[in-house]
Structures are given as structure tokens and as C-alpha cells.
Amino acid sequence: MPITPAPAVLRAGEILRFLAHRPTEAFTISDLARELGLPRATCDAVMQALAQGGLVVRRERDLRYVLGPAAIMIGNAARAANPVLRVGAAEADRLARALGACATLSVRQGTSSTVAEVFDHGPAFGLRAQAGQTMEHMPPFGAAYVAWHEDEIEAWLGRSPVPLDEEDRQRFHSTLAQVRRLGYSVAVAAPRRAELNTALSTLAVRPDEEHARRARDEVLNEMVHRDYLAGDLADHEPLRVTLMSAPIFDDRGRAVACVMLLGPDHEMTGAEIRARGTVLVNAAARATLLSGGEFPPTYPSSARHALHSI
């Protein structure tokens, strides 16, 4: 018989995620209850328990809550315990600084991935991501995670939010083959990408917000039948890239994290994209090696030269 998760623990996690996404703000119990849609008494009981453990602190001057010192220790311990987080974050930060861009480290959680850290060295009005944003791995999202193993590809296609005809399936198979050749995926601008980003930002702090869920699912349904994932990159064909993503593999050759590069917010030719992609895939390949991972047989030999630069 399956064990049901403790509701109080689920609520505690929800509150801690919310506070982590707004670290410079302080909240009363009423604020938290309203923002998270929780009963005030439930919220109060959970916050008292978290305060006893030092995970949150109530300021005496205004009775507002902020994250406590124990949260710092847990975060640092999690990074130390997971070499992919530690090494991947260092590579993403170095990449962002080198390119003057916004880079992130996302981490796989089952059939989805979540932005764990953001390293923002990009222009003032460039594309941004927010820690905590979660994306389900379904066409067209998560290609850099699933492209390397046939079983994962078929499971990914099976999670499509809308039925796929044979033309759709062939298009996705062709795009995933391109990911394997390059070592990274390329996502191009979509008409409603800004709406999707807004929905994802809302769901990062309020996972059950119904309006944001509907908006996300509606945009995803439209994207399935569009060329959101770039295929062949012609040398002189201009594309407006929103995201490039390269995987980090564990010791079984499975993609468990990705270094992601946002933007730039202008068109690039295929040649320029490939040059940027080479820097990106080198960073992810180094992270794989330094964290004790193994490349799958389908990983491109051209990307493995990053091993010689360490």
C-alpha cells in the first residue's frame, strides 16, 4: 500500500520554496496564507515548526518571517553532496561571465527539470530565467535531456500534450538527431514565449495556481506543431535564439542536469549559433567529467575535445 505524503511537510516545502524565490522580502502569516492559498491557522502552525528548526526567523519588530540560517546550511550541504550541482554551477557561472550572458543550471527531477541556479551577466534588457522554474519534459521541451537514449525519446514523445501525427514524430526525431550531432539543443523564438515565461514564473512560487497552469498548457499545445526546436543550422540563415541547452551526464550516461544559455535577444546566423554552442557544450562536457559522469555512446565525438582542455 503506497504511503501518502504528510500534508504538513508538503506545505512546509511550498512555503520554503516561496520564501526562496523572494529572499529580499518579509511576510506576515496573513501574507503567506493569501499568497499560497493556505488556511491561516495551517500556515501559522507550519511556520512555528519551521522557526523552531531555524529554517525561518520571525522578526520581532514587525512579526514578519524571512528565511533562517538553517536554510543556508541545508543549501550548502546539498551542493556539497551533489557534485553535479557544484561543478555544473561553476561551469555555468564561468560561461555566463565569458559570454556576457545569462546562464542557468537546471536539474532533472523525474520527467521534468527545475532551474536550480541563475548566473546573470547579460545585458540589461536580455532574456532572463528564475530559479525554481520547472518544465515538464514533453515535446518540444526537454530535448537536451532525452535525445541520447531511444527509450527516453519514445517516452518523451508519448507525453506530448496533443496527439502527434507521423509528420510531427518525424520532425521531432530529426531535431533530436541534430541535438546528438551538436551536443546541445537550440530553441528559437515563439510568438507566445513571454506568456509562457510569465506562467512558469508564477508556478515556480505557486505550483497550484490554476490560471498559470491553463496559460502554460495552452502555449505548450501551440508549440508542439511549430518549429520551436531548431533543426539544421544553415550558415547564413538568421534565427532568433531564446535558449541553448547542453546536458551533464551521470555515471550511467543519463542526462541529469543541463547548462542553459539564454538569448541573445537578436538574430544570429547558423555559423554564429554553432560557435556559441561550442563554448556551451565544452562547459557541460567539463562538468560531466569533473563530476564523475560518463558520456553515452550517442554523444558526439566532436564535443569530447573539452576533455583535453581541463
Side-chain angles (χ1 to χ4, degrees):
M1 183 175 179
I3 298 175
T4 302
V9 176
L10 294 175
R11 296 306 187 195
E14 189 176 357
I15 290 170
L16 290 172
R17 282 194 299 271
F18 176 83
L19 293 175
H21 291 302
R22 299 169 71 171
T24 61
E25 302 177 53
F27 300 90
T28 65
I29 292 295
S30 296
D31 293 335
L32 292 169
R34 183 177 59 255
E35 290 282 352
L36 296 170
L38 298 175
R40 192 185 187 286
T42 299
C43 197
D44 196 4
V46 172
M47 292 303 287
Q48 287 187 40
L50 292 174
Q52 286 186 18
L55 290 167
V56 299
V57 172
R58 189 176 75 161
R59 302 191 313 204
E60 291 299 326
R61 67 176 185 272
D62 56 10
L63 305 183
R64 291 175 178 269
Y65 284 91
V66 296
L67 286 173
I72 300 173
M73 292 185 289
I74 290 174
N76 289 339
R79 185 175 291 105
N82 189 331
V84 169
L85 284 176
R86 184 176 64 254
V87 175
E91 289 296 336
D93 185 33
R94 180 163 62 176
L95 179 71
R97 292 177 184 276
L99 296 180
C102 181
T104 73
L105 177 70
S106 74
V107 180
R108 188 173 196 162
Q109 297 177 317
T111 60
S112 67
S113 54
T114 299
V115 175
E117 295 195 61
V118 178
F119 305 94
D120 188 359
H121 300 284
F125 300 103
L127 297 175
R128 296 292 186 273
Q130 179 180 340
Q133 285 184 344
T134 297
M135 179 59 70
E136 289 292 326
H137 294 172
M138 66 178 84
F141 299 103
Y145 280 98
V146 306
W148 315 99
H149 301 278
E150 190 61 33
D151 60 332
E152 292 196 340
I153 293 172
E154 290 305 313
W156 181 71
L157 292 172
R159 290 192 295 270
S160 173
V162 298
L164 300 177
D165 59 26
E166 188 57 31
E167 182 179 351
D168 292 326
R169 293 179 66 86
Q170 289 301 320
R171 174 165 51 86
F172 281 125
H173 273 293
S174 176
T175 300
L176 294 178
Q178 174 78 345
V179 173
R180 291 191 295 274
R181 286 193 295 271
L182 296 174
Y184 56 90
S185 65
V186 179
V188 298
R192 300 178 64 184
R193 179 73 204 204
E195 186 177 343
L196 177 63
N197 286 341
T198 299
L200 293 176
S201 295
T202 299
L203 292 171
V205 294
R206 295 194 294 276
D208 297 324
E209 212 285 318
E210 187 60 30
H211 178 74
R213 281 183 175 275
R214 286 199 303 269
R216 179 199 62 184
D217 293 344
E218 184 180 323
V219 177
L220 287 177
N221 288 346
E222 289 187 11
M223 284 183 165
V224 167
H225 298 302
R226 293 178 178 271
D227 288 330
Y228 170 74
L229 291 170
D232 293 332
L233 301 174
D235 281 352
H236 303 294
E237 179 183 354
L239 289 173
R240 186 176 291 273
V241 173
T242 59
L243 179 68
M244 301 172 69
S245 186
I248 302 172
F249 299 98
D250 65 10
D251 57 4
R252 300 178 301 126
R254 298 279 173 167
V256 293
C258 274
V259 178
M260 301 192 298
L261 195 57
L262 279 71
D265 194 22
H266 58 76
E267 290 185 338
M268 294 191 295
T269 64
E272 291 170 330
I273 293 170
R274 285 195 299 274
R276 193 175 177 92
T278 297
V279 182
L280 168 64
V281 78
N282 284 356
R286 282 193 297 269
T288 292
L289 179 70
L290 292 172
S291 62
E294 295 286 343
F295 298 107
T298 50
Y299 194 70
S301 58
S302 60
R304 297 173 189 251
H305 76 272
L307 304 179
H308 304 297
S309 64
I310 297 176

